Amino acid sequence: MSVNDLSDMPQALRDNYAGLGRLWLGPLTAACDAAVVASLVYAVSFAYHLGATGLPGVDRSTRELAAMLATLFVFVNLMRGRYQIANYLSARGQMGSAFAVWNITLVAFLALLFLAKIADHYSRIVMVATYLCGIPVIALSRSAVVRLVAAGSRSGRITAERAFLIGREANIMSFVSRHKPWHMGFAVTDVAFLKSGGEAALAADLTAAVANCRMTRPDAVFIAVPWSEQEAITACVDAFMNLPVAIHLAPEPIMERFGNAHVVHTGTLSSLRLTRQPLSTVEVAAKRAFDIVAASCGIILTLPLLLLIAVLIRLDSPGPVLFRQRRYGFNQQAFRIFKFRTMTTTDDGKVVVQAKRNDPRITRLGHLLRRYNLDELPQFLNVLAGDMSLVGPRPHALAHDVEFERKIANYARRHNVRPGITGWAQVNGFRGETDTDAKMAGRVAYDHWYIDNWSFWLDIRILFRTVLSRKAFANAR
C-alpha cells in the first residue's frame, strides 16, 4: 500500500509529501506577533498624540517602546515553545496562553524600566492603554493565525512533519480513519504492513520497512500495533532506532475518550495519565476565593432587585418566596438549592415532574423570571455557603439524578466539581427541559468537557456568555 491509497488525504499531500510550513511557519508567526505589537504601540501613541496636541504624529520614544515590547513578546513566546505548528492547529488554550505571555511581557518591560531607571522616558498613559488594548488585539490576531494554519493543514498546504506508518493493516487503517493525521499537520510518506507470522517473518517485514523508510526520509515513524503485543512493539522500536526519526506509538482507542492524556514522570516512574484531578489545591482555593468575592458583590448589587422580586412573588401567587429543593453537589453530597419560586408547586420527593413549555404550574411572574434566569439569583447564597460555585455543571433534582445515572455512562462525573449557577452546557444552549435521554447526554458531554478543561479564564468566558450570549437564554421556560 502506498500513500496514494489513502483516498481521504488532500491532493496537495499526495502530490507533495513535504508540504509547507515547518521551516517558515515559526519565523512567520513570530514576525506576525512582532508586527501586531509594534503596530499596536504606534496606533496608541498616535491616538494619544492626536488627542493631546491636536496634531497627527507620535512621540519620539514610540519607536523604542514598540521595539522593546515586540522583542519581549516574541522572546517570551519562544521560551514557552509557542512557535511550533502543533500549537496552531487548535484554538484550545490559545487565548489563555496569549494573555499570559502578554502579562509576562509587560512585567518584564516594567522590570527593565526599573533596573535601567528610565521609567520617565515613556508615557504612562500610552503604556497602560497599550496593555489594555493589547488584550483583545493579540487575542484576535492569534485566533486569525490559528484559523489560517488549521485551514492550511486540512488542505495539505501546511505540514509539521512527514510520517511513516507501520503496523498491522487493520490497526493502521483504524488509526488513519479515526485520526486523519494530515488534519494535524502530518504528511504520510508511506505505509508498511506487518504480516502475521513468527519472528522470522516479522524480521523480514521490518528489514524491508526500514529500507523503505530510509529512502523516503520521514521525520517520524508511527507504530500502529496493539499495546498488548509487546514483542512486536519492541522489535519495531529496535529496528527504527537506527534511523534519524522520532518514534511514536499510535494511541489505543481508549485514549480517544480523554483529550488531555499524557505521560507523567514521578521519579523513575512513568505512567500514562488519562485524567487529572479535576482541580488542584491551588485551583480550588483560587476558584473559591473568586466565588466568595463575586457572589458577595452580586448580592450587594442586586439587592434592590431581589427585594422587588420577593414582593412581586408574594403579590402574584400564594406560597413561599423561595423554593428549596434537595440536589447533589460536590462528591454527590446533597444540599438544598435556593431559587425564587416560579411555580404553584414545590416538588422535592422521589418523583419530580420537570417544567415543560406552557406548563400550567408556572405562575405569571414565573414565566418572566425563568425567561431571563432571574429565578437563579438566590443561589448566590448557595455559593457563599460553599454548596455551589458561580460556574459549574448545573445541579438537578435528586430524583432526576438517580434516573439519569442509570441511563447515561459516567453521569456522576458531573459531581467531581461544585455545581454552578451557570455552566458550559447552559451557554451552549443545553438548558431547560430534558425530555429525552439524548438531550441530557448532550448536556452531560459539555459538563464533562468543562471538568476536563477547566481554567480560570474559561469561567470568566462562561460568565460573560451567560449575560451576553443568546444561547444562554435558549430553551428558558
Side-chain angles (χ1 to χ4, degrees):
M1 178 179 180
S2 70
V3 69
N4 293 315
D5 294 320
L6 301 176
S7 57
D8 288 339
M9 182 183 291
Q11 185 64 39
L13 288 183
R14 294 200 293 270
D15 295 341
N16 177 12
Y17 300 158
L20 299 172
R22 189 169 41 140
L23 296 178
W24 56 264
L25 185 64
L28 186 61
T29 51
C32 179
D33 279 347
V36 168
V37 173
S39 300
L40 173 66
V41 173
Y42 270 95
V44 170
S45 182
F46 180 86
Y48 173 68
H49 190 274
L50 182 64
T53 65
L55 299 173
V58 295
D59 296 333
R60 289 180 298 175
S61 61
T62 300
R63 181 182 300 178
E64 297 175 13
L65 180 62
M68 291 179 67
L69 286 178
T71 301
L72 284 171
F73 187 72
V74 171
F75 178 76
V76 175
N77 274 297
L78 281 172
M79 293 299 99
R80 291 168 63 94
R82 296 304 304 175
Y83 295 125
Q84 299 177 18
I85 189 173
N87 294 324
Y88 289 86
L89 297 176
S90 171
R92 187 174 67 180
Q94 292 291 340
M95 301 304 174
S97 174
F99 182 71
V101 171
W102 186 231
N103 283 331
I104 295 173
T105 298
L106 265 294
V107 171
F109 176 68
L110 294 176
L112 287 175
L113 295 186
F114 173 77
L115 294 174
K117 297 182 179 180
I118 56 173
D120 294 336
H121 190 57
Y122 304 102
S123 167
R124 291 177 175 83
I125 295 178
V126 171
M127 287 192 292
V128 172
T130 298
Y131 169 73
L132 295 177
C133 294
I135 296 173
V137 169
I138 291 174
L140 290 173
S141 66
R142 182 64 59 85
S143 177
V145 172
V146 168
R147 289 173 181 265
L148 289 173
V149 174
S153 175
R154 287 192 295 271
S155 66
R157 300 300 176 184
I158 297 177
T159 60
E161 296 186 41
R162 304 168 71 243
F164 183 93
L165 307 183
I166 183 170
R168 312 293 185 197
E169 180 177 2
N171 299 125
I172 288 180
M173 298 311 298
S174 175
F175 169 72
V176 168
S177 64
R178 293 197 319 268
H179 298 286
K180 291 183 173 54
W182 44 88
H183 285 182
M184 294 174 282
F186 289 100
V188 180
T189 61
D190 210 342
V191 178
F193 291 145
L194 297 177
K195 305 179 187 65
S196 300
E199 293 183 7
L202 177 61
D205 290 340
L206 287 175
T207 299
V210 168
N212 191 21
C213 184
R214 195 181 296 276
M215 291 178 58
T216 56
R217 303 180 66 179
D219 303 298
V221 171
F222 278 79
I223 302 173
V225 175
W227 290 3
S228 58
E229 298 185 24
Q230 291 296 312
E231 293 182 1
I233 292 175
T234 300
C236 290
V237 171
D238 291 341
F240 287 97
M241 281 287 287
N242 296 322
L243 274 66
V245 296
I247 300 176
H248 298 261
L249 190 59
E252 290 279 77
I254 185 65
M255 293 180 64
E256 295 176 15
R257 291 176 51 191
F258 306 99
N260 294 320
H262 65 279
V263 175
V264 175
H265 302 283
T266 307
T268 58
L269 172 66
S270 297
S271 61
L272 180 64
R273 191 182 72 183
L274 299 180
T275 64
R276 68 167 193 172
Q277 185 182 10
L279 298 178
S280 68
T281 303
V282 174
E283 291 170 337
V284 170
K287 186 174 173 68
R288 180 63 184 146
F290 177 77
D291 283 341
I292 292 174
V293 173
S296 300
C297 293
I299 290 177
I300 294 172
L301 293 175
T302 62
L303 185 58
L305 178 61
L306 295 174
L307 295 175
L308 175 62
I309 293 174
V311 172
L312 292 177
I313 290 175
R314 293 303 299 267
L315 295 175
D316 181 60
S317 62
V321 170
L322 293 179
F323 165 55
R324 297 189 301 166
Q325 187 180 67
R326 290 175 302 159
R327 301 194 176 184
Y328 279 136
F330 175 69
N331 202 26
Q332 280 193 310
Q333 299 299 307
F335 71 100
R336 288 192 179 275
I337 195 171
F338 295 108
K339 300 181 69 173
F340 279 126
R341 182 177 59 82
T342 60
M343 304 177 71
T344 57
T345 60
T346 55
D347 297 338
D348 187 24
K350 293 183 178 180
V351 177
V352 176
V353 180
Q354 284 190 338
K356 300 178 175 61
R357 184 186 296 270
N358 300 321
D359 196 314
R361 297 173 299 165
I362 300 178
T363 64
R364 290 174 299 175
L365 179 62
H367 283 289
L368 179 66
L369 297 179
R370 297 170 75 93
R371 179 67 184 85
Y372 295 101
N373 299 330
L374 297 177
D375 59 322
E376 312 286 359
L377 291 178
Q379 287 162 41
F380 283 136
L381 298 174
N382 288 116
V383 173
L384 291 179
D387 296 323
M388 295 179 64
S389 176
L390 290 177
V391 181
R394 284 291 300 160
H396 302 134
L398 262 58
H400 299 157
D401 267 348
V402 172
E403 176 186 356
F404 286 117
E405 194 169 348
R406 292 197 305 264
K407 297 179 179 180
I408 300 175
N410 297 317
Y411 173 86
R413 279 194 69 214
R414 302 175 73 257
H415 306 301
N416 287 353
V417 295
R418 282 191 179 96
I421 297 178
T422 185
W424 184 238
Q426 282 64 45
V427 298
N428 281 281
F430 284 90
R431 61 159 298 172
E433 183 185 6
T434 51
D435 53 346
T436 66
D437 292 347
K439 287 184 180 179
M440 179 55 75
R443 178 182 292 187
V444 171
Y446 274 90
D447 290 337
H448 287 175
W449 187 92
Y450 170 80
I451 294 172
D452 293 333
N453 297 274
W454 180 88
S455 71
F456 180 77
W457 302 114
L458 178 60
D459 275 4
I460 298 297
R461 178 183 172 189
I462 291 172
L463 289 172
F464 273 108
R465 287 183 60 175
T466 298
V467 178
L468 303 176
S469 174
R470 290 183 179 180
K471 285 187 176 181
F473 298 91
N475 303 317
R477 295 289 183 270

